[in-house]
Amino acid sequence: MIDCIQRVVVTEKTAALLEDQRYTFDVDVNLKKTDIKSLIQDFYNVKVVSVNTHRLPRRKSRFGGMKPQVKRAIVTLRSGDSLPIF
């Protein structure tokens, strides 16, 4: 089920969120907030306080098609918890 978490998003904006224990992931479009919360808690052994999600707009591909839809999840952890990926 961890295949549903596609990648960790690392940008300047998400790096600023790390100070508030917020981590950003690109996830499968069909996942709900409760599914994302349980996946992160089970895989990383941390306590998730809240999950905020939004869908990014589809964009044109360089070769005339459309890129697939992406859903982004911002996960807030309990104070004192951190993810080992950072």
Side-chain angles (χ1 to χ4, degrees):
M1 190 81 180
I2 197 65
D3 299 336
C4 298
I5 299 174
Q6 297 169 351
R7 69 185 66 85
V8 178
V9 179
V10 181
T11 61
E12 290 181 30
K13 194 177 223 180
T14 60
L17 291 174
L18 292 176
E19 297 172 4
D20 298 330
Q21 301 292 35
R22 292 175 153 191
Y23 296 88
T24 307
F25 300 94
D26 282 346
V27 296
D28 186 20
V29 178
N30 298 321
L31 285 180
K32 298 176 186 157
K33 288 183 181 185
T34 55
D35 298 335
I36 296 168
K37 181 178 179 177
S38 64
L39 279 173
I40 297 294
Q41 287 184 153
D42 293 342
F43 189 72
Y44 291 111
N45 278 341
V46 294
K47 177 69 175 158
V48 175
V49 176
S50 68
V51 177
N52 297 329
T53 61
H54 68 279
R55 291 183 180 205
L56 299 173
R58 292 186 68 186
R59 299 179 188 248
K60 282 189 176 180
S61 173
R62 181 177 284 180
F63 301 106
M66 294 295 282
K67 290 187 178 182
Q69 180 106 27
V70 176
K71 186 174 192 177
R72 191 159 283 176
I74 300 172
V75 178
T76 305
L77 300 182
R78 179 177 56 188
S79 63
D81 284 347
S82 64
L83 295 182
I85 53 177
F86 292 100

